[in-house]
Amino acid sequence: QVQLVESGGGLVQPGGSLRLSCAASGFTLDYSAIGWFRQAPGKEREGVSCISSSDGSTYYADSVKGRFTISRDNAKNTVYLQMNSLKPEDTAVYYCATGKQCSSLATHGSWGQGTQVTVSS
């Protein structure tokens, strides 16, 4: 069974940076896609980024393009989200998820517990 362990969240000032990590156990047996979602109070959960090991494709929400970078270390079964130039509107609980492909991750993925990211002065 897939287990996801997230870390790296915290409090950062606007313009600062954080790197989130998610260690996944067992996902290489069944899944090739892993990514990040976030949810702020009063808002719907939204996809942030995803990476596929099948072809190396990456995907980013328009709101984070140019600021966030996703990467994957298959040997360590770990995915990272480098978050630069953070804005207050990036404040949310961030979740990692893994599944068979990025296009179905939102509905057919396995999810972690989430990590809080707060951007405030």
Side-chain angles (χ1 to χ4, degrees), residues 34-36 49-51 58 60 68-72 79-81:
I34 190 165
W36 295 90
S49 184
C50 185
I51 185 168
T58 58
Y60 297 95
F68 292 7
T69 303
I70 190 170
S71 61
R72 185 176 187 175
V79 66
Y80 305 94
L81 186 67

Side-chain angles (χ1 to χ4, degrees), residues 3 13 15 23 30 35 41 45 47-48 51 62 69 75 93-94 106 115 119-121:
Q3 297 287 333
Q13 294 184 348
D30 302 298
R45 184 174 296 185
V48 177
I51 185 168
D62 289 341
T69 303
V93 177
Y94 284 70
T115 184
V119 184
S120 176
S121 60

Side-chain angles (χ1 to χ4, degrees), residues 49-88:
S49 184
C50 185
I51 185 168
S52 174
S53 63
S54 62
D55 59 5
S57 298
T58 58
Y59 306 90
Y60 297 95
D62 289 341
S63 60
V64 306
K65 285 181 179 177
R67 300 188 297 120
F68 292 7
T69 303
I70 190 170
S71 61
R72 185 176 187 175
D73 187 335
N74 289 331
K76 298 180 179 179
N77 289 338
T78 301
V79 66
Y80 305 94
L81 186 67
Q82 180 65 47
M83 309 164 67
N84 298 327
S85 301
L86 284 163
K87 305 175 181 179

